[in-house]
Amino acid sequence: MPRTAPLRVVVLASGTGTLLQALLDARPAAGSWTVTAVGSDLHSCQALDRAAAAGVPTFTVALADHPTRADWDAALAAACADADLIVSAGFMKLVGPAFLAAHDGKMINSHPSLLPSFPGMHAARDALAYGVHVTGCTIFLVDAGVDAGPIVAQEAVRVLPDDTVASLHERIKVAERGLLVSVVTSLATHGWRVAGRKVVPS
Ligand code: GRF
């Protein structure tokens, strides 16, 4: 059955928040999805500033404010309780078992490589060091693995001969911004379910 209410999207971010900004700028006026909140593991970062400037509620669940990582994970899960879809957009923490149990199949992450190549924190650096001629970005459903969940969408980006890590990562981020907006719109419009390694309309 098609949804009647907009999909409620919570974005998690820790950094400069340019992927978040692409989502904020693309929010449909009366449409299939809306950003209901932006959360971070940091008390202060550019992503939270961008959310506040857009009038979107923010929250912080900081690791240091919780006695254990499991407590932090449960608190983060609770903070996202109202989300239909959670978007990790430069959120620099791995979620744990409590979060995954509460939000199984509801969290996507954007990663700056064509997975399964170059998982981890330094994807652009690793792609450049390996000498690949093409890299890109991947949006996938988060599971218990590291950058290992079922792939929702990918886009290729050419590596140029004079690329630095910064120039390559920035060109990948341009692709990530567009892909993320189209993925969120598509998930909101068609729904989604996991069939083996594939993410298909529900
Ligand atoms: C993106 O490349 C994302 O894939 C990675 O961190 C970057 C976030 O960029 N995990 P920004 O903070 O949205 O500008």
Side-chain angles (χ1 to χ4, degrees):
M1 212 165 73
R3 328 177 39 90
T4 45
L7 191 84
R8 290 164 304 175
V9 178
V10 171
V11 183
L12 299 179
S14 318
T16 54
T18 64
L19 271 60
L20 164 67
Q21 190 68 55
L23 288 170
L24 293 173
D25 292 347
R27 283 172 296 173
S32 58
W33 58 275
T34 183
V35 178
T36 54
V38 173
S40 183
D41 58 314
L42 302 175
H43 287 286
S44 162
C45 65
Q46 240 182 299
L48 290 176
D49 296 342
R50 289 176 189 273
V56 174
T58 63
F59 62 86
T60 292
V61 183
L63 195 50
D65 296 341
H66 295 82
T68 67
R69 188 154 185 129
D71 290 313
W72 169 81
D73 192 49
L76 185 66
C80 297
D82 289 338
D84 298 314
L85 177 70
I86 298 151
V87 177
S88 167
F91 184 60
M92 301 317 265
K93 290 269 184 303
L94 294 175
V95 297
F99 189 97
L100 291 169
H103 300 294
D104 186 34
K106 278 174 40 185
M107 183 185 202
I108 57 172
N109 185 29
S110 180
H111 181 78
S113 76
L114 293 175
L115 292 170
S117 292
F118 311 120
M121 297 283 282
H122 303 287
R125 184 195 72 185
D126 295 347
L128 203 58
Y130 196 92
V132 294
H133 290 210
V134 177
T135 181
C137 56
T138 302
I139 297 175
F140 63 96
L141 277 179
V142 175
D143 66 8
V146 177
D147 299 331
I151 290 172
V152 183
Q154 292 186 300
E155 188 168 317
V157 173
R158 193 165 290 282
V159 181
L160 302 179
D162 56 353
D163 259 332
T164 61
V165 174
S167 68
L168 177 59
H169 193 188
E170 185 47 42
R171 225 164 44 258
I172 295 170
K173 281 170 56 165
V174 172
E176 287 187 84
R177 291 174 199 130
L179 193 62
L180 192 53
V181 169
S182 81
V183 161
V184 170
T185 301
S186 171
L187 295 178
T189 306
H190 305 294
W192 70 97
R193 68 184 172 84
V194 178
R197 285 289 308 169
K198 291 191 193 300
V199 181
V200 296
S202 61

Short mmCIF file of all heavy atoms in Angstrom, two decimals, residues 13-21 47 50 88-92 109-113 120-121 137-138 169-170 172-173 176-177, ligand 1:
data_model
loop_
_atom_site.label_atom_id
_atom_site.label_comp_id
_atom_site.label_asym_id
_atom_site.label_seq_id
_atom_site.Cartn_x
_atom_site.Cartn_y
_atom_site.Cartn_z
N ALA A 13 25.15 12.71 11.70
CA ALA A 13 26.34 13.30 11.08
C ALA A 13 27.29 13.79 12.16
O ALA A 13 26.87 14.16 13.26
CB ALA A 13 25.95 14.45 10.16
N SER A 14 28.58 13.77 11.83
CA SER A 14 29.59 14.24 12.80
C SER A 14 30.50 15.32 12.22
O SER A 14 31.35 15.84 12.93
CB SER A 14 30.51 13.09 13.22
OG SER A 14 29.85 11.90 13.46
N GLY A 15 30.37 15.60 10.93
CA GLY A 15 31.41 16.42 10.30
C GLY A 15 30.91 17.71 9.72
O GLY A 15 30.12 18.42 10.33
N THR A 16 31.39 17.99 8.50
CA THR A 16 31.04 19.27 7.88
C THR A 16 29.59 19.29 7.40
O THR A 16 29.03 20.37 7.20
CB THR A 16 31.98 19.57 6.71
OG1 THR A 16 31.96 18.45 5.81
CG2 THR A 16 33.40 19.77 7.19
N GLY A 17 29.02 18.13 7.16
CA GLY A 17 27.58 18.07 6.91
C GLY A 17 27.15 18.49 5.51
O GLY A 17 26.02 18.91 5.31
N THR A 18 28.04 18.33 4.52
CA THR A 18 27.60 18.72 3.17
C THR A 18 26.61 17.71 2.58
O THR A 18 25.77 18.10 1.76
CB THR A 18 28.80 18.92 2.22
OG1 THR A 18 29.48 17.68 2.04
CG2 THR A 18 29.75 19.98 2.75
N LEU A 19 26.71 16.45 2.98
CA LEU A 19 25.70 15.48 2.52
C LEU A 19 24.35 15.82 3.17
O LEU A 19 23.31 15.79 2.51
CB LEU A 19 26.12 14.05 2.88
CG LEU A 19 26.99 13.31 1.84
CD1 LEU A 19 28.29 14.02 1.56
CD2 LEU A 19 27.24 11.88 2.27
N LEU A 20 24.40 16.11 4.46
CA LEU A 20 23.18 16.56 5.15
C LEU A 20 22.58 17.77 4.43
O LEU A 20 21.37 17.84 4.20
CB LEU A 20 23.52 16.93 6.60
CG LEU A 20 22.46 17.76 7.32
CD1 LEU A 20 21.19 16.95 7.55
CD2 LEU A 20 23.00 18.30 8.65
N GLN A 21 23.44 18.73 4.06
CA GLN A 21 22.94 19.95 3.42
C GLN A 21 22.22 19.61 2.11
O GLN A 21 21.18 20.23 1.79
CB GLN A 21 24.10 20.91 3.14
CG GLN A 21 23.64 22.30 2.69
CD GLN A 21 22.93 23.05 3.81
OE1 GLN A 21 23.49 23.22 4.90
NE2 GLN A 21 21.71 23.50 3.57
N ALA A 47 27.63 20.12 10.95
CA ALA A 47 26.37 19.47 10.56
C ALA A 47 25.22 19.94 11.46
O ALA A 47 24.13 20.24 10.98
CB ALA A 47 26.53 17.95 10.62
N ARG A 50 24.23 23.39 10.48
CA ARG A 50 23.42 23.41 9.25
C ARG A 50 21.97 23.05 9.54
O ARG A 50 21.04 23.64 8.99
CB ARG A 50 24.00 22.41 8.24
CG ARG A 50 25.33 22.83 7.62
CD ARG A 50 25.84 21.71 6.72
NE ARG A 50 27.19 21.91 6.26
CZ ARG A 50 27.54 22.61 5.16
NH1 ARG A 50 26.61 23.18 4.44
NH2 ARG A 50 28.80 22.71 4.80
N SER A 88 22.91 7.74 7.79
CA SER A 88 24.23 8.04 8.32
C SER A 88 24.99 8.78 7.22
O SER A 88 25.32 8.20 6.18
CB SER A 88 24.91 6.72 8.69
OG SER A 88 26.28 6.94 8.93
N ALA A 89 25.25 10.07 7.45
CA ALA A 89 25.85 10.91 6.42
C ALA A 89 27.11 11.55 7.02
O ALA A 89 27.08 12.67 7.52
CB ALA A 89 24.87 11.98 5.96
N GLY A 90 28.19 10.77 7.02
CA GLY A 90 29.39 11.27 7.67
C GLY A 90 29.28 11.16 9.18
O GLY A 90 29.81 12.00 9.92
N PHE A 91 28.58 10.12 9.65
CA PHE A 91 28.49 9.84 11.10
C PHE A 91 29.65 8.92 11.41
O PHE A 91 29.72 7.80 10.90
CB PHE A 91 27.15 9.19 11.42
CG PHE A 91 26.90 8.94 12.88
CD1 PHE A 91 26.89 10.00 13.78
CD2 PHE A 91 26.66 7.66 13.36
CE1 PHE A 91 26.64 9.79 15.13
CE2 PHE A 91 26.41 7.44 14.71
CZ PHE A 91 26.40 8.52 15.59
N MET A 92 30.58 9.39 12.24
CA MET A 92 31.86 8.70 12.36
C MET A 92 31.90 7.67 13.50
O MET A 92 32.94 7.44 14.10
CB MET A 92 33.00 9.72 12.50
CG MET A 92 33.08 10.68 11.32
SD MET A 92 32.87 9.87 9.70
CE MET A 92 34.57 9.59 9.26
N ASN A 109 23.81 4.07 4.93
CA ASN A 109 25.06 4.81 5.08
C ASN A 109 25.61 5.13 3.70
O ASN A 109 25.45 4.34 2.77
CB ASN A 109 26.08 3.96 5.86
CG ASN A 109 27.36 4.72 6.15
OD1 ASN A 109 27.36 5.95 6.28
ND2 ASN A 109 28.47 4.01 6.24
N SER A 110 26.22 6.30 3.58
CA SER A 110 26.90 6.66 2.33
C SER A 110 28.39 6.51 2.55
O SER A 110 28.95 7.04 3.51
CB SER A 110 26.57 8.11 1.96
OG SER A 110 27.22 8.44 0.76
N HIS A 111 29.03 5.76 1.65
CA HIS A 111 30.47 5.46 1.81
C HIS A 111 31.20 5.89 0.53
O HIS A 111 30.74 5.61 -0.57
CB HIS A 111 30.66 3.96 2.04
CG HIS A 111 32.10 3.59 2.22
ND1 HIS A 111 32.78 3.80 3.40
CD2 HIS A 111 32.99 3.06 1.35
CE1 HIS A 111 34.03 3.40 3.25
NE2 HIS A 111 34.19 2.96 2.02
N PRO A 112 32.38 6.54 0.68
CA PRO A 112 33.05 7.09 -0.50
C PRO A 112 33.96 6.11 -1.24
O PRO A 112 35.13 6.41 -1.49
CB PRO A 112 33.83 8.27 0.08
CG PRO A 112 34.14 7.86 1.48
CD PRO A 112 32.98 7.00 1.93
N SER A 113 33.42 4.95 -1.59
CA SER A 113 34.11 4.03 -2.52
C SER A 113 33.06 3.10 -3.10
O SER A 113 31.92 3.06 -2.63
CB SER A 113 35.20 3.20 -1.81
OG SER A 113 34.61 2.16 -1.06
N GLY A 120 36.04 1.11 5.31
CA GLY A 120 36.80 1.74 6.39
C GLY A 120 36.85 3.25 6.27
O GLY A 120 36.20 3.86 5.43
N MET A 121 37.68 3.82 7.13
CA MET A 121 37.68 5.28 7.36
C MET A 121 38.41 6.08 6.29
O MET A 121 38.27 7.29 6.22
CB MET A 121 38.36 5.58 8.70
CG MET A 121 37.66 5.01 9.91
SD MET A 121 36.22 5.97 10.35
CE MET A 121 36.99 7.36 11.18
N CYS A 137 31.02 5.92 -5.08
CA CYS A 137 30.35 5.93 -3.78
C CYS A 137 29.27 4.85 -3.76
O CYS A 137 28.79 4.40 -4.80
CB CYS A 137 29.75 7.29 -3.48
SG CYS A 137 28.62 7.91 -4.71
N THR A 138 28.95 4.45 -2.54
CA THR A 138 27.99 3.37 -2.31
C THR A 138 27.04 3.78 -1.20
O THR A 138 27.47 4.26 -0.16
CB THR A 138 28.72 2.08 -1.85
OG1 THR A 138 29.68 1.71 -2.85
CG2 THR A 138 27.74 0.94 -1.63
N HIS A 169 38.32 12.93 -2.95
CA HIS A 169 37.21 12.79 -2.01
C HIS A 169 36.13 13.84 -2.28
O HIS A 169 34.94 13.56 -2.22
CB HIS A 169 37.71 12.88 -0.56
CG HIS A 169 36.68 12.43 0.45
ND1 HIS A 169 36.84 12.58 1.79
CD2 HIS A 169 35.45 11.86 0.30
CE1 HIS A 169 35.77 12.11 2.43
NE2 HIS A 169 34.92 11.68 1.54
N GLU A 170 36.55 15.05 -2.62
CA GLU A 170 35.56 16.09 -2.89
C GLU A 170 34.71 15.73 -4.11
O GLU A 170 33.49 15.91 -4.11
CB GLU A 170 36.24 17.45 -3.08
CG GLU A 170 35.26 18.61 -3.23
CD GLU A 170 34.13 18.63 -2.19
OE1 GLU A 170 34.38 18.38 -1.00
OE2 GLU A 170 32.96 18.88 -2.59
N ILE A 172 34.09 12.72 -5.18
CA ILE A 172 33.21 11.62 -4.75
C ILE A 172 32.03 12.18 -3.96
O ILE A 172 30.88 11.74 -4.13
CB ILE A 172 33.99 10.59 -3.89
CG1 ILE A 172 35.06 9.89 -4.73
CG2 ILE A 172 33.04 9.57 -3.29
CD1 ILE A 172 36.03 9.05 -3.91
N LYS A 173 32.30 13.17 -3.12
CA LYS A 173 31.21 13.74 -2.31
C LYS A 173 30.15 14.43 -3.17
O LYS A 173 28.97 14.43 -2.83
CB LYS A 173 31.77 14.69 -1.25
CG LYS A 173 32.33 13.90 -0.05
CD LYS A 173 33.12 14.73 0.95
CE LYS A 173 32.39 15.89 1.51
NZ LYS A 173 33.07 16.43 2.72
N GLU A 176 28.09 11.62 -4.10
CA GLU A 176 27.34 11.13 -2.94
C GLU A 176 26.11 11.99 -2.67
O GLU A 176 25.04 11.46 -2.35
CB GLU A 176 28.23 11.17 -1.68
CG GLU A 176 29.30 10.11 -1.62
CD GLU A 176 30.01 10.13 -0.27
OE1 GLU A 176 29.49 9.51 0.69
OE2 GLU A 176 31.06 10.78 -0.17
N ARG A 177 26.27 13.30 -2.80
CA ARG A 177 25.14 14.21 -2.48
C ARG A 177 23.96 13.93 -3.39
O ARG A 177 22.82 13.80 -2.93
CB ARG A 177 25.59 15.66 -2.60
CG ARG A 177 26.57 16.05 -1.52
CD ARG A 177 27.12 17.46 -1.74
NE ARG A 177 28.36 17.62 -0.98
CZ ARG A 177 29.51 18.09 -1.48
NH1 ARG A 177 29.60 18.50 -2.73
NH2 ARG A 177 30.57 18.16 -0.71
C1 GRF B 1 31.32 11.48 3.04
O1 GRF B 1 32.33 11.22 2.08
C2 GRF B 1 30.83 10.20 3.66
O2 GRF B 1 30.75 9.15 2.77
C3 GRF B 1 31.91 9.95 4.67
O3 GRF B 1 32.16 11.20 5.24
C4 GRF B 1 31.89 12.20 4.26
C5 GRF B 1 30.91 13.16 4.87
O4 GRF B 1 31.05 14.43 4.31
N1 GRF B 1 31.54 8.93 5.61
P1 GRF B 1 30.23 15.69 4.90
O5 GRF B 1 30.54 15.80 6.37
O6 GRF B 1 28.77 15.42 4.66
O7 GRF B 1 30.73 16.85 4.11
#
